[in-house]
Amino acid sequence: MAAPHVLALPFPAQGHVIPLMQLSHRLVEHGIEVTFVNTEANHALVLAAMLAGGGAGRASSLDGIHLLVLRIEASGGTKISWLVADQGMGWAFEVAKKLGIRAACFWPASVAFLASMLRVPQLIQDGVVDDKGWPKRQETIQFAPGMPPLHTSRLPWNNAGAAEDQPVIFQLVVRNNEAKELAEVTVSNSFRDAEPGAFELYPDILPVGPLLADPKLEKPVGQFLPEDARCLGWLDARADRSVVYVAFGSFTVFDPRQFEELALGLELTGRPFLWVVRPDFAGGGLSEAWLDEFQRRVGGDSGLIVSWCPQQQVLAHRAVACFVSHCGWNSTMEGVRNGVPFVCWPYFTDQFLNESYICNVWRTGLLVVPGADGVVTKEELSAKAERVLGDEGIRERVDALKDFKKFVELLKE
């Protein structure tokens, strides 16, 4: 009997490609054939990043799922038996049904975040939002006991870009929710003990996280940017739990003033830091002369700035003391898995909800608070980093978070 053949289709964004690629590696380990689909643009980014890092790999990239399935079967390849598609690609479930292919919905974020979208009909019925997704009143809602409260100003579709785009995003959420019902099962990059309230609300969602491609962290996971592996050697020369690691994912952009305050805040901690600064991280107007002077001042033992890094290896390194993060779910799960405390700096969509888990439910980090002008000052960042690093309760909960039976008992104390 031929091995099952899975067609894996991610939403075309870095934070969605990586976890589905990790799941695909695990499926292959269990004897399942996987064809992983990328957009042309993302495929080019992944291959360029792999070549720059000395890796090798193969991926498929075609515009139409229907066309791809027909081409695979016409070429004598193993018939596609399952589609595993990101929940954000709801249209694919409709295609799978037409082709008679079984479908599984993959959710790369927290189940609590998915719950906030699946509850849209109830939110409209209760008069919390209108039929375009705009809040009708300012209030805090909680979908189930144990889930973090969510303010109506933080609903995911209202924090995903320009205001004029929000009704379109909301309608996409509604359509994807409807299409999701065509999938036989929904799997999530989470685990029950991380968010028991959300899993009690949706008990049929299957947890498969925290996802990891392989224990040695050697398999490619679809990075869009070349990883600067010299940071691992730099970490090797640092003391245990001494380094502040700073990374804000693939979308966050800071204006020049905030960028400078962040840089000065890291310097103010007096601790060595590893800072990921994508080429597009700082908005226009940042002085190159200022940045050059900053790098000269903190370079060497004090700080290292890279354009991208192998984050999973970094967070697993003994030298990392805390993680200044945008609180994307991949980063959150990677920090949890490696027992690293957080300084939380959420930016958009689900990151506010993830921060609430970290700071209010698990109590393994602290949130930076901007001033009246919206800027997080260097003093605020430095103070929160010092509090996180000096809080024995946070350290104890972070260490226990990897053993949830122990963690639950600790929270009851």
Side-chain angles (χ1 to χ4, degrees):
M1 181 178 178
H5 188 176
V6 168
L7 190 67
L9 178 66
F11 184 84
Q14 179 73 97
H16 294 249
V17 169
I18 288 176
L20 187 53
M21 183 71 80
Q22 291 171 323
L23 177 61
S24 297
H25 280 299
R26 301 310 303 271
L27 293 175
V28 170
E29 287 179 6
H30 286 80
I32 296 173
E33 182 180 353
V34 177
T35 297
F36 195 93
V37 182
N38 254 333
T39 63
E40 293 286 355
N42 287 353
H43 183 52
L45 289 172
V46 169
L47 288 184
M50 290 172 63
L51 291 172
R58 181 179 62 174
S60 297
S61 177
L62 289 171
D63 291 332
I65 299 300
H66 194 161
L67 177 59
L68 176 57
V69 170
L70 293 177
R71 287 186 61 175
I72 289 173
E73 295 181 359
S75 65
T78 308
K79 184 177 180 180
I80 300 293
S81 48
W82 278 87
L83 168 74
V84 179
D86 193 290
Q87 199 265 356
M89 306 293 277
W91 55 268
F93 302 121
E94 299 172 0
V95 175
K97 183 177 181 180
K98 292 178 182 178
L99 294 174
I101 297 172
R102 302 176 73 179
C105 173
F106 176 69
W107 180 247
S110 72
V111 174
F113 181 37
L114 179 57
S116 70
M117 296 193 291
L118 296 180
R119 305 299 280 187
V120 161
Q122 189 68 46
L123 292 174
I124 294 175
Q125 180 178 320
D126 292 345
V128 178
V129 301
D130 63 23
D131 59 3
K132 291 183 172 57
W134 293 113
K136 297 177 71 173
R137 53 181 186 259
Q138 296 295 310
E139 64 178 78
T140 298
I141 53 180
Q142 187 176 29
F143 296 114
M147 290 179 63
L150 181 65
H151 195 270
T152 52
S153 64
R154 296 300 195 193
L155 291 169
W157 51 86
N158 297 142
N159 288 276
E164 59 269 21
D165 296 332
Q166 302 315 297
V168 175
I169 295 173
F170 180 72
Q171 289 305 315
L172 180 61
V173 167
V174 172
R175 289 199 299 272
N176 285 338
N177 287 348
E178 294 171 350
K180 171 187 170 297
E181 297 304 312
L182 299 174
E184 291 185 32
V185 64
T186 297
V187 296
S188 171
N189 182 24
S190 185
F191 54 115
R192 294 189 189 279
D193 289 326
E195 38 177 346
F199 277 105
E200 287 178 14
L201 190 63
Y202 291 100
D204 292 336
I205 294 177
L206 181 65
V208 294
L211 284 166
L212 190 66
D214 67 297
K216 294 184 178 180
L217 305 176
E218 294 176 345
K219 294 180 179 178
V221 293
Q223 296 285 356
F224 287 6
L225 293 172
E227 298 172 336
D228 189 342
R230 67 192 172 104
C231 64
L232 298 177
W234 184 86
L235 286 171
D236 288 341
R238 311 278 84 78
D240 290 359
R241 290 183 173 177
S242 64
V243 175
V244 177
Y245 173 56
V246 188
F248 289 88
S250 55
F251 281 113
T252 310
V253 176
F254 280 8
D255 64 34
R257 183 183 173 196
Q258 184 62 87
F259 184 97
E260 292 182 12
E261 285 293 315
L262 169 55
L264 295 174
L266 294 175
E267 186 178 15
L268 189 60
T269 66
R271 296 176 179 271
F273 63 85
L274 170 60
W275 184 13
V276 177
V277 179
R278 301 186 326 269
D280 61 343
F281 179 67
L286 180 68
S287 167
E288 291 187 12
W290 185 93
L291 182 57
D292 289 343
E293 169 57 28
F294 175 77
Q295 289 184 284
R296 282 194 296 270
R297 192 165 67 244
V298 303
D301 293 341
S302 298
L304 178 64
I305 297 176
V306 297
S307 60
W308 201 246
C309 78
Q311 179 166 287
Q312 295 189 46
Q313 289 93 322
V314 167
L315 287 171
H317 199 284
R318 57 163 181 79
V320 172
C322 75
F323 185 8
V324 180
S325 173
H326 65 310
C327 303
W329 190 249
N330 288 336
S331 293
T332 300
M333 287 291 95
E334 290 162 8
V336 164
R337 187 176 62 243
N338 290 290
V340 179
F342 286 82
V343 175
C344 299
W345 197 325
Y347 181 67
F348 75 161
T349 57
D350 68 322
Q351 296 163 15
F352 302 104
L353 191 60
N354 302 340
E355 173 272 317
S356 188
Y357 265 118
I358 293 167
C359 296
N360 303 323
V361 178
W362 307 330
R363 293 186 289 140
T364 55
L366 295 173
L367 172 68
V368 294
V369 179
D373 59 357
V375 174
V376 175
T377 66
K378 57 182 179 293
E379 293 84 3
E380 168 70 3
L381 173 59
S382 177
K384 289 294 171 63
E386 286 304 309
R387 283 180 56 191
V388 165
L389 292 169
D391 190 316
E392 289 301 320
I394 287 179
R395 169 50 58 190
E396 188 177 5
R397 288 188 292 274
V398 163
D399 289 339
L401 193 56
K402 294 183 288 184
D403 180 346
F404 266 90
K405 289 183 179 179
K406 179 180 176 181
F407 183 63
V408 170
E409 292 303 315
L410 182 64
L411 291 180
K412 290 179 179 178
E413 292 178 359

